[in-house]
Amino acid sequence: MRTVLAVDGGNSKTDVALVTEDGSVLGTGRGGPFQPQIAGVGTAVDAIAEAVRAMLGPGATPPFADHVAAYVAGADLPAEEEVLRAEILSRGYGEHVVVGNDTFALLRAGASGPAGVAVVCGAGINAAAVSPTGEVTRYPALGKLTGDWGGGFGLGEETLWWAIRAEDGRGPATALRQAVREHFGTGTVEELCLDIHFGRTPVDRLHELVPVLMAVAGSGDAVARALVTRMADEVTVLAVVALRRLGLLETPMEVVLGGGVLTARDPLLNGLIEERFAAQAPQAKLIVADVPPIMGAALLGLDALGATEEAKAALRAHFHAAA
């Protein structure tokens, strides 16, 4: 029976699952971050082997499966997907390899079928859509360079920006100032900024400010609420434009929301998103992902093998039971 090595590579960790063609899950494992733009393609792909050895044991050697279905962060453009695919093939992890952006795994995990829209708002933000006939639309997702705004890290930066300006008088008063100081245990916001500048506090800790922002916004603070409102606008426009590009804005379609910022189900943020979809894309059905994207990667792998619907149902049942 053929096997699939499913890979969900993210900015903070790399998850793998070994799945048979009948939908049985033989094992799962976790490795380090998948960051090809920061650590390099080779180091990123090393994280896959690390996760496999966590699953199968330190002596595991390639090939790991017949088919590798890798849906990873950093594969934002077709050219990047091809470079990663070539690297995985060169390692012999599997005879057949497909590499795609992790947004497609989120879509396959959360939607009832292959078609729909996925918007991920984790460390960054991205979206992709697949039509019922297989047409695909996506965004470059290269940050401000390509018009992106938001995500956990971006919201953390914005929270700090408004907090320091409230402290030094360049901006309006906001409860974010006190909330940021309390979260990091500093006497002033400027102290935190200097700690980040001199490397005493890792800059990636800024994502910790997302729940701080949500709490302050929920209390009615105007500055914080404006940031959360803008985040809702960004999530909505990504999906609405994707649907419009595919000519599906008036067609009932599932829109899967994933990533830590959205799966936290903050009542203000998610409520604002629901309001905007009701006004701009009333045919859309919003789904907040409740299973890990690794399930979507595994389902895409089974799709590639031509597995039965019974096999896919078995796979779904396994991950839903584990969720």
Side-chain angles (χ1 to χ4, degrees):
M1 188 175 295
R2 292 177 296 176
T3 56
V4 172
L5 176 65
V7 181
D8 169 42
N11 287 302
S12 60
K13 46 76 181 173
T14 301
D15 284 333
V16 298
L18 187 61
V19 178
T20 59
E21 195 172 357
D22 67 354
S24 299
V25 178
L26 301 180
T28 60
R30 175 165 290 183
F34 196 96
Q35 299 176 319
Q37 287 105 333
I38 297 172
V41 169
T43 300
V45 172
D46 285 343
I48 298 176
E50 177 190 349
V52 170
R53 290 181 181 119
M55 172 176 62
L56 300 178
T61 58
F64 300 129
D66 297 293
H67 178 80
V68 179
Y71 291 85
V72 296
D76 298 310
L77 302 168
E80 293 171 328
E81 291 174 346
E82 188 51 42
V83 168
L84 288 163
R85 178 177 178 274
E87 181 68 19
I88 294 171
L89 277 170
S90 73
R91 306 285 187 94
Y93 290 179
E95 183 179 356
H96 302 285
V97 176
V98 173
V99 174
N101 186 264
D102 53 353
T103 310
F104 291 102
L106 169 64
L107 172 59
R108 193 68 178 89
S112 58
V117 182
V119 182
V120 61
C121 191
I125 187 167
N126 197 5
V130 180
S131 78
T133 56
E135 291 179 274
V136 173
T137 189
R138 59 196 294 184
Y139 300 94
L142 303 178
K144 287 187 177 180
L145 184 66
T146 52
D148 308 315
W149 185 91
F153 185 78
L155 287 173
E157 283 187 315
E158 290 283 345
T159 299
L160 185 59
W161 192 87
W162 285 101
I164 188 65
R165 290 174 72 89
E167 181 172 275
D168 65 21
R170 287 178 292 170
T174 170
L176 292 173
R177 174 188 177 186
Q178 180 64 22
V180 168
R181 288 159 48 190
E182 289 178 355
H183 179 79
F184 282 96
T186 58
T188 64
V189 180
E190 181 179 343
E191 181 184 338
L192 170 60
C193 295
L194 293 177
D195 284 344
I196 293 172
H197 176 71
F198 288 111
R200 294 188 290 265
T201 297
V203 68
D204 59 9
R205 287 193 62 194
L206 285 179
H207 77 272
E208 296 175 17
L209 290 176
V210 174
V212 174
L213 168 65
M214 298 300 172
V216 173
S219 71
D221 183 87
V223 170
R225 190 178 178 93
L227 285 175
V228 174
T229 300
R230 184 177 177 187
M231 189 71 265
D233 290 338
E234 290 293 321
V235 169
T236 305
V237 76
L238 282 167
V240 168
V241 170
L243 288 168
R244 185 182 299 124
R245 286 178 177 178
L246 295 177
L248 297 171
L249 197 52
E250 306 302 325
T251 303
M253 293 293 291
E254 293 173 322
V255 177
V256 181
L257 306 179
V261 175
L262 298 177
T263 58
R265 298 175 185 265
D266 177 78
L268 174 59
L269 174 60
N270 288 41
L272 289 170
I273 291 170
E274 290 172 3
E275 290 175 6
R276 280 150 178 74
F277 271 92
Q280 299 176 41
Q283 295 295 323
K285 177 186 177 182
L286 293 182
I287 300 170
V288 179
D290 59 358
V291 290
I294 187 64
M295 186 184 87
L299 282 169
L300 287 164
L302 291 183
D303 290 341
L305 293 185
T308 65
E309 292 305 313
E310 290 77 11
K312 296 169 192 176
L315 181 75
R316 285 185 178 275
H318 172 90
F319 281 101
H320 279 289

